[in-house]
Each structure stands twice: as C-alpha cells, then as structure tokens.
Amino acid sequence: MRFGLSLEQETFRDQLQRLLADRAPLDRVREVAADGNGYDERLWSGLTELGAMGVLVPEEYGGLGMGSFDAGLVVEELGRSVAPAPYLGTAFVAPLVLSESGSNSLAAEWLPRIAGGEARIGLALGEAVSARAGAGVVVNGGRLSGKALAAMDAGAADAFIVSAGVEQLWLVRSDASGLTRTPMTSIDRTRALAELRFDEVEAEPIAGGASLTQRALDLARVALAADTLGAADAMFQQALDYSKQRVQFERVIGSFQGVKHALADMITGLEPSRALVWYATHAQTEMPRDEAHRLACHAKAHLAEVGRMVARAATEVHGGMGFTDDLGLHYWFKRIGLDRQLLGSPEQIRAEAAAAMVA
Amino acid sequence: MDLSLDQRYLDFREQVRSFVAANRADAPPSVTSRDRGAPTQEALDWQRRLIAAGYTARTVPAEYGGFGAEPDMLETMIINEEFSAAGIQAGLAGIGIMMLVPTLLEVGTAEQKARYIPKAITGEEWWCQGYSEPGSGSDLASLRTNGRLDGEEWVINGQKIWTSGAHFAQMMFCLVRTEPDAPKHRGISYLLIPMETPGITVSPLKTMTGRSEFNQVFFDDARIPAGNIVAGRGEGWKVANVTLKHERGGLGDPAKSIARFDGLVKLMREETINGQRAIDDPLLADRLMQLEAKMLALKLNNMRVLTADLEGNDPGLARLVTKYYGTTLNHELDALAIDAMGELGVLYEDGDYLRDEGAWQAWYMHDLGLIIGGGSTNIQRNIIAERGLDLPREPKAVIPPQGMGGRG
Ligand SMILES: Cc1cc2nc3c(=O)[nH]c(=O)nc-3n(C[C@H](O)[C@H](O)[C@H](O)COP(=O)(O)OP(=O)(O)OC[C@H]3O[C@@H](n4cnc5c(N)ncnc54)[C@H](O)[C@@H]3O)c2cc1C
C-alpha cells in the first residue's frame, strides 16, 4: 500500500512545475488573460512535449495510457499556476469519454491528435446539470438546435463534447455550419467560457448513452476539484508567506493569533482535502464506477466549500494588498470561483450523492 | 497510488474476520449514555481474549504480557477496520493502555516495564492521568504540584483537577514540579503514583453528563518510592510530550468518525418525520453529505499519514491537523443525529422513545470534552501554526501587578 505519489510521479510533477514557472509566470498569465481566450501556444506545446496531453490517451492511439491520478496531478499544477490551458476538456475528459465510448472512429480520429497536442476539445455539459432559462439543446434527425451556456475550454476548441439533455453526448466540430460561438465574459480570464448556438448543426453521436454523460460529468467535476486544490494551495502559501513579512504594531502579522488561527484553519481544511482529491482522481480509472461517481461528487462539492473559505481568508490576510490587481492574488480567487460554479452547485451535487446513497 | 494490500494482509484480514465472527457474541456492549466507570468483568475477560489472539496490545513484547508482534501499521489498520465494521470494541481504551504503555516502552526502565505494563494492558491495574491543575490547563508547564525528595521517597503536595477515572484508578502517571529552581519546562518530573498512597484524596466532580467522570485529586504529604520516576529528574516535560503524541493520534482516529458516520446513516434511514425518512429530507441529507466528504477526507488523510510512517517520513501537517479536524467532525456528526431526531433528540438516559440508548446526546457532550481535552481547539491551531507552519510564537503579555491594572 502506498497512498501518494510514486517516484516517477514526483519527477513528472517537478518537470511540470518547472515548465509552468518558465512558461506561465504571473506576468505571462496576465498577458494571456487579457484576450480571455484561455490558450497559450507556447505553454500548450511545452505541456505536449512533457507528455501531459497523452496521459489518458490509450497507447494504441499514441498516448501514454496512464491513470486518472496522473492527469489529476497535471490539473492540480495548472490550478496552482492559474495557467491558461484548456487541459480539462481536452486531456482529462475527452480521452476517457472517447476511448470508453462505442464510437471507435471518433476515437481513432481525435485521440492521436489530442496526444500530439494538435486538437483541443471544449465541453458543453451544462445542460445535463442545470439548464438555465433560454438554454437547452434538442436533437432532430441527428442535428442539434438550441443553446448551450458556459461551455468550458471554449476559446481555442476544435470540437466540443455536447450533452443534449442527459441521454446522449455529441461531438460537434467548431467549424460545423450553423454553430455560433460567442465568448461569455467571466470573472476568470484564464479560461474561456462561451455560449454555443446551434442551428441544425451536424453532430456525431458519441455512443454510450446516459451513463457516458454521467461519466463525462464525473470526470469534469473531479478535475475542477483538482484545479481548486492547486489554486487554493497556492493562495494559502502566498498568505502564509505574506504573514511572515508584513509588519504591523512592530510585529509580523503572522504572530497575531487571529491571523495565525486563520492560517491554521485554512490548512486544516486543505490538508485532508488533498487526500480526498487524490483518491477521487485516482478512483476515476482505478475503481468501480459507483465509487468513482461518489468520490467525484464529494470532491467537487467539498473543494467548492474549502476553496471558497481559503480564497476569502487568504485574500483577507493580505489586507488592502490582497484587493489590488497588482498583486494578482485575484487570479486564484477567480479561478476558484469559476470552479465552484461550473457543473453543479455543492448543494446540487450533494443531492446527487445522497440519492446515490439511498438508492 | 497503490491502495492494494499484499496477499499476506488479505489473509490477515480473513483471519481477523473469522475471529470476529466466532467471538462477537461475547463482546461487551459498546459505550452508550450509561456510566463510563471501571471496566466490567465482561470487558476484562474480553480484553484477555483479545490479547491472546493478538488483536490488542499486539506489539507489546510477550515478556510484558503482550502478543509480541512486530509493529505493522497495516495490520493495526485492518484490526481497527474489522472491529469497527462489526461495531465491537477492539479492546479497552483506557488512558493507561493508550498513553502510559507506549510511553514506558519508549522511555521506561526494564523494571518499570515489567512491573507496570502487564497489568496495564489487561486492565487489572487502571491508570489515570494527573496533568491538569486548577491554575495550569493549556499552559500545562506552569504546574505547581510539587515533589521533594526525602531519603528514599518523594513527598508530594498540591492538587490535580479534571482527572478522568481517578475515582476508580489504582495508579496515576503524574507531572510534578521537582526542580523549583530550574526553568519552567525543565523543573518537572514524571512520577508513577499508587492511588492508595496515604495523603491522596480523590474528590469526584459531577460533569455536564450528569455523572462523575473526572475528579479533583489532592496530595497532602503523599509519599511514594524514589524509584517511581520515568526518565530522570526534570525530564518530565519531554516524557509528557511522548505521551501527548499518543493521545493526539488517538483523538483524531478516523475509525471512530467512520463508526459514528455509519451509525448516523443507520439512524437517518430509520428515523421518520411526517412519514418521510430523515435521510430523504433534502436539508438533512445535505448536511449528511457535507459530513461524509469530511469523514472521507479524514480517512484518506490517515492513509497518507500511514504511508509516511511506513516509509519513515514525517507526515507533517497531515498529522498535525487530525486532532482538531477529527474531534470537531465527530461533534458535528453527533449534532446532526440529534437534529435528525427533532424533539426526541433531547431524550436522555431512559425511556421508550430513546434512540440508540441515548448515545447521541452522551456523545455530543463527551466529544465536546475531547475538543477541550488533550489540547483545546485554540491550542491545536497554535500548534499547527507554530510547529506546522513555522509562524512566530505569541509574545509574552505583561500581567499587570495587583491593584494597578484593574478598573478599581
Ligand atoms: C472531559 C475531560 C476530561 C479530561 N481528562 C483529563 C485527565 O484525565 N487528566 C488531565 O490531566 N486533564 C484532563 N482534562 C483537562 C484538559 O486537558 C484541560 O481542560 C485542557 O487542557 C484545557 O485546560 P483548562 O481547562 O485549564 O482551560 P484553559 O487553559 O483555561 O482554557 C480556557 C480557554 O482558553 C483558551 N486558551 C488558553 N490558552 C490559550 C492560548 N494560548 N491561545 C488561545 N486560546 C487559549 C482555550 O482554548 C480555552 O478555550 C480533561 C478535560 C475534559 C474536558
């Protein structure tokens, strides 16, 4: 038994951290965030060279065929660096959804391109969770019509995985005729959200029915939890460092018990969450589906709460400085904020977990 | 990430399971709202059976009455899991077994081990912990109960308080100031005191549970042999820290939270409100799920701690947060059970409408005691911040001299 990273995983994580320090320092994040497209070519190619794109792509399709824990570690690091990369849809959700579906031709077409860093996949799964007023996608003779809101990783996507209700997932190419993609400006400029309008758009069914839709949701949720873990960890660390430097009343503020206890509470929430997220990401490819589903629900809902608490408290520890654009702490604050809102509120997800328990 | 267990552990789990299945009928009932007094004969018999089978005192050397197995944390984990899944006790959980025995094994002399450990693990000799004093709780090192060497004897004077089980214990491990001129932390010794020593008076304190679980203990020229000291003179603080390490680990044990959670789910499946099961109430179910996530996080965190221990690494913060996290989680679990029972949640001790023998109210109080004892929540936060996060200690505040700082 060994709960945690293997030696190879630690090496992989070190490489990722070095890459991100080099290609996604805060100044670069700021530049990329300015256009809100959530994509940076140089970072993407660096991730591809490290093999990060192919982690979940089966070897027969040119990937590494590793487990969801490895991919979760990438997401966690991206969150830690608030890195602009549409990794979640492309390299976490799409490879498993496509390779587990019965649509071999789709898998054969897209998976090698994903592993090679040549394709990016967005996710429009919101309608399977909570269709807001005016939204909804209907299928007619294999063509999609209607509207999907808050499609994720949408900026540079070559195709989208789209849910029409919960029954079926579809693959829609970005250049399909009748598809209009309109950016939705969100608090988090490091990742691109979009409204997708479908006007009789040609789509290919991803064979797998409602259970594959659920699978896609579980994967996306667990990845959002991993992103929050990394981002919250980074915020905590910045607050801790700041508390050891900032002097008021002739003392570093980290010596005031109010500040100290705020930090202790943050880490007490975070530290066990780390184990929860690690196991939840691990479970996606290594445990039975019901266990994977249960853990995905808990990880997403719990990290939404812990993330919000840490984001708020870490900002407060910074005083007025925390409120500035200059310090940039808000990039993490907003990243955590976005993770929380997407694909189900904590309340809704807990209701799903409870339903699974009493079933 | 490798969560699989080697074949020998799978075999071991089977072995524990069949023991549990064959013997569970004789297990003493688990603690409810009834008195937590001296262990019953039934509990003592059960304890002996568990020691013989190697499911408690497993790693205590055979020469001291234990089972003599090599320490193996996975075996310990399996035993805890199987016993708590079956809802039975994996042996007596007295402070002597949990704290004194590991401490003596670490720093006691051969004579002390031989004299005290065998009787401590069987429960034949019950121990209490004499640390806190009226003026020294969180600031334990300020304690003033004093010991003076007179020939071959320590002569002890002073007072302890909140001493759990002192009203039926035969022995006390006690912190006593023996070096009045040494700095605060270096003037304390760790003494082993027979409770029948003349000059010791135990005065039970009634607690919020309605019973007497803890006591005041007065020392008035109580004389004990000079050899009843663990490690050297002035070494008591260090020894106590060995002991506290064991106590805090025990207080954040996820096995307890898991058992509480399972009991809560069972209760919420059975309890109905207007004909609807409590578990089907969306607001109660929401709280249940929040707590399940925390329970899972604690359990998985413990596997991380275990992994670090197995590999000889320091689990750091992952261990430091468990007392604070685990005890507050348990209290939230108790609170939800009480809320799920509505007005019947207030019932206590006796009556037709009592659920789970009134355990939840008893636990709600008991678990609050555990939040305070063993280092309160604030003290845990200080420890996490100062030891775990390397934040500076509190500067000393000046206590105003009498008659000057007050408001007149
Ligand atoms: C059920 C129960 C059983 C017990 N059993 C035993 C036993 O068997 N043997 C034994 O020796 N003791 C026992 N204790 C005592 C226990 O260890 C003490 O109660 C505990 O250490 C707190 O000390 P105190 O009661 O003096 O509270 P205080 O130290 O006076 O604390 C009062 C409040 O002040 C806060 N506080 C104190 N210092 C600080 C600080 N530096 N920063 C922030 N806040 C602070 C505390 O968090 C607490 O909220 C038991 C207690 C309980 C409740």
Side-chain angles (χ1 to χ4, degrees):
Chain A
M1 198 224 40
R2 181 163 210 285
F3 189 97
L5 279 63
S6 65
L7 228 58
E8 298 80 61
Q9 284 161 339
E10 274 175 18
T11 310
F12 181 48
R13 186 169 67 174
D14 288 348
Q15 291 171 334
L16 274 168
Q17 285 176 347
R18 272 201 300 276
L19 174 83
L20 288 162
D22 175 41
R23 300 201 183 177
L26 188 57
D27 288 344
R28 180 64 194 147
V29 170
R30 251 180 226 286
E31 283 168 23
V32 180
D35 75 10
N37 208 37
Y39 179 70
D40 179 27
E41 185 67 50
R42 215 173 139 255
L43 173 59
W44 194 256
S45 65
L47 288 167
T48 307
E49 280 154 30
L50 272 187
M53 294 306 160
V55 167
L56 289 175
V57 174
E59 280 167 292
E60 56 193 292
Y61 294 117
L64 301 172
M66 284 149 60
S68 45
F69 181 56
D70 299 278
L73 291 176
V74 180
V75 180
E76 186 183 328
E77 291 314 315
L78 294 174
R80 195 186 311 282
S81 305
V82 287
Y87 186 86
L88 191 156
T90 306
F92 199 95
V93 177
L96 291 175
V97 164
L98 292 177
S99 61
E100 290 171 11
S101 78
S103 305
N104 292 337
S105 59
L106 281 180
E109 179 186 353
W110 289 96
L111 293 179
R113 295 181 59 203
I114 289 173
E118 294 146 26
R120 284 158 297 277
I121 313 284
L123 298 178
L125 300 175
E127 309 324 297
V129 181
S130 61
R132 293 281 148 179
V137 180
V138 294
V139 188
N140 217 325
R143 286 173 181 270
L144 305 188
S145 293
K147 203 156 70 177
L149 298 185
M152 304 160 57
D153 285 348
D158 301 290
F160 287 89
I161 293 174
V162 180
S163 66
V166 293
E167 299 81 27
Q168 179 68 47
L169 293 178
W170 301 83
L171 191 103
V172 176
R173 283 153 216 271
S174 298
D175 57 7
S177 85
L179 175 69
T180 330
R181 166 171 40 174
T182 314
M184 292 171 77
T185 308
S186 88
I187 48 167
D188 177 16
R189 306 284 293 166
T190 66
R191 286 172 297 173
L193 289 188
E195 174 207 71
L196 302 183
R197 276 174 189 273
F198 303 89
D199 182 11
E200 305 238 328
V201 177
E202 198 180 315
E204 290 153 275
I206 308 173
S211 100
L212 196 62
T213 307
Q214 186 59 59
R215 175 68 163 159
L217 273 180
D218 288 345
L219 294 168
R221 283 172 172 174
V222 95
L224 288 169
D227 192 80
T228 295
L229 173 65
D233 225 6
M235 281 195 95
F236 167 75
Q237 198 56 50
Q238 290 174 76
L240 179 62
D241 294 345
Y242 190 74
S243 79
K244 292 178 181 174
Q245 290 158 14
R246 171 72 175 165
V247 173
Q248 285 291 280
F249 300 97
E250 294 161 60
R251 291 159 63 180
V252 292
I253 58 167
S255 69
F256 295 117
Q257 204 173 53
V259 173
K260 220 185 218 177
H261 285 189
L263 290 160
D265 282 346
M266 285 187 240
I267 198 64
T268 300
L270 262 178
E271 207 53 46
S273 299
R274 191 185 317 281
L276 179 66
V277 169
W278 284 2
Y279 179 67
T281 52
H282 169 79
Q284 298 310 309
T285 52
E286 312 305 318
M287 294 286 152
R289 277 290 292 277
D290 54 348
E291 173 83 343
H293 169 62
R294 183 171 83 109
L295 265 297
C297 287
H298 280 314
K300 169 72 162 84
H302 188 63
L303 269 289
E305 309 289 23
V306 173
R308 175 174 275 184
M309 180 271 281
V310 171
R312 182 198 159 287
T315 305
E316 194 179 332
V317 166
H318 283 84
M321 192 56 112
F323 205 75
T324 60
D325 174 48
D326 214 34
L327 186 68
L329 194 67
H330 64 91
Y331 284 101
W332 284 268
F333 183 96
K334 292 167 181 172
R335 185 105 175 181
I336 292 168
L338 185 82
D339 288 340
R340 178 180 165 110
Q341 298 313 118
L342 293 178
L343 302 184
S345 67
E347 293 79 9
Q348 181 178 357
I349 294 174
R350 286 194 292 263
E352 285 179 38
M357 170 180 265
V358 293
Chain B
M1 198 66 109
D2 173 12
L3 305 184
S4 63
L5 294 176
D6 291 351
Q7 188 58 40
R8 87 187 156 91
Y9 291 111
L10 300 179
D11 295 344
F12 183 71
R13 191 185 288 283
E14 277 316 308
Q15 186 191 319
V16 182
R17 269 196 195 148
S18 46
F19 175 87
V20 167
N23 293 276
R24 62 181 304 168
D26 300 331
S30 61
V31 184
T32 63
S33 63
R34 308 235 166 71
D35 206 346
R36 256 177 281 271
T40 59
Q41 191 53 50
E42 200 185 0
L44 293 174
D45 292 344
W46 179 244
Q47 179 75 359
R48 282 184 192 277
R49 195 186 300 187
L50 291 184
I51 295 173
Y55 298 137
T56 194
R58 181 171 176 79
T59 58
V60 173
E63 55 177 320
Y64 306 130
F67 185 73
E70 283 300 309
D72 184 325
M73 280 171 281
L74 293 178
E75 287 180 353
T76 309
M77 179 184 86
I78 289 169
I79 294 169
N80 288 341
E81 284 178 358
E82 292 304 320
F83 277 75
S84 71
I88 55 177
Q89 297 176 39
L92 296 170
I95 208 144
I97 295 161
M98 278 163 51
M99 293 173 65
L100 175 86
V101 170
T103 303
L104 284 185
L105 284 173
E106 211 166 311
V107 292
T109 63
E111 289 83 357
Q112 286 168 340
K113 292 178 199 176
R115 160 65 187 84
Y116 297 113
I117 293 176
K119 288 183 176 177
I121 61 178
T122 54
E124 190 181 334
E125 204 163 63
W126 202 256
W127 286 78
C128 61
Q129 176 193 39
Y131 284 10
S132 306
E133 297 181 6
S136 306
S138 299
D139 183 14
L140 186 57
S142 68
L143 62 90
R144 287 195 299 215
T145 295
N146 67 81
R148 157 176 69 79
L149 208 50
D150 179 24
E152 283 305 292
E153 289 177 328
W154 290 107
V155 184
I156 303 165
N157 283 285
Q159 183 196 344
K160 295 290 171 181
I161 197 167
W162 324 130
T163 323
S164 302
H167 51 308
F168 56 84
Q170 286 85 25
M171 292 292 299
M172 170 189 277
F173 55 94
C174 189
L175 293 180
V176 175
R177 187 159 303 280
T178 55
E179 324 300 315
D181 300 328
K184 190 170 159 181
H185 294 85
R186 297 213 208 104
I188 298 168
S189 296
Y190 189 101
L191 303 183
L192 307 175
I193 304 177
M195 293 301 284
E196 57 177 25
T197 306
I200 295 181
T201 317
V202 176
S203 159
L205 288 165
K206 197 166 172 177
T207 76
M208 70 187 293
T209 67
R211 299 183 188 80
S212 301
E213 284 129 335
F214 56 36
N215 306 269
Q216 302 189 76
V217 181
F218 300 92
F219 301 87
D220 184 12
D221 282 336
R223 289 174 170 267
I224 61 162
N228 283 19
I229 180 170
V230 177
R233 291 179 67 152
E235 298 283 305
W237 189 252
K238 278 193 216 150
V239 179
N241 276 314
V242 172
T243 315
L244 280 174
K245 185 178 78 192
H246 295 293
E247 180 177 25
R248 289 195 184 123
L251 289 174
D253 182 4
K256 177 169 169 181
S257 306
I258 295 167
R260 282 275 202 285
F261 180 81
D262 291 346
L264 174 59
V265 172
K266 184 167 165 290
L267 177 85
M268 286 178 65
R269 283 178 189 279
E270 288 164 2
E271 200 62 31
T272 61
I273 308 156
N274 298 326
Q276 184 192 39
R277 297 186 305 172
I279 202 164
D280 296 323
D281 178 285
L283 296 178
L284 293 175
D286 185 73
R287 282 172 64 188
L288 182 69
M289 291 300 102
Q290 291 187 40
L291 297 179
E292 182 173 38
K294 288 190 189 175
M295 180 275 284
L296 287 169
L298 182 66
K299 173 181 153 181
L300 295 161
N301 183 67
N302 190 54
M303 297 184 74
R304 239 181 108 207
V305 171
L306 212 61
T307 300
D309 281 340
L310 285 168
E311 296 176 358
N313 298 323
D314 177 10
L317 283 159
R319 169 171 290 141
L320 280 182
V321 302
T322 55
K323 194 265 171 181
Y324 177 26
Y325 196 90
T327 52
T328 45
L329 170 60
N330 292 342
H331 204 233
E332 289 179 85
L333 289 164
D334 303 336
L336 178 54
I338 288 168
D339 291 353
M341 290 184 274
E343 60 271 43
L344 300 185
V346 300
L347 300 180
Y348 195 50
E349 291 190 331
D350 260 324
D352 293 345
Y353 298 97
L354 212 54
R355 309 290 196 256
D356 295 328
E357 301 183 62
W360 295 102
Q361 278 292 358
W363 285 337
Y364 186 67
M365 292 186 252
H366 180 74
D367 287 342
L368 178 56
L370 297 182
I371 286 175
I372 299 167
S376 70
T377 293
N378 277 351
I379 298 303
Q380 294 308 314
R381 288 164 162 154
N382 281 356
I383 291 171
I384 293 163
E386 288 165 13
R387 290 194 210 150
L389 303 175
D390 208 20
L391 286 165
R393 296 180 61 94
E394 289 280 298
K396 296 265 175 283
V398 180
I399 302 169
Q402 288 291 324
M404 278 178 66
R407 294 186 181 194

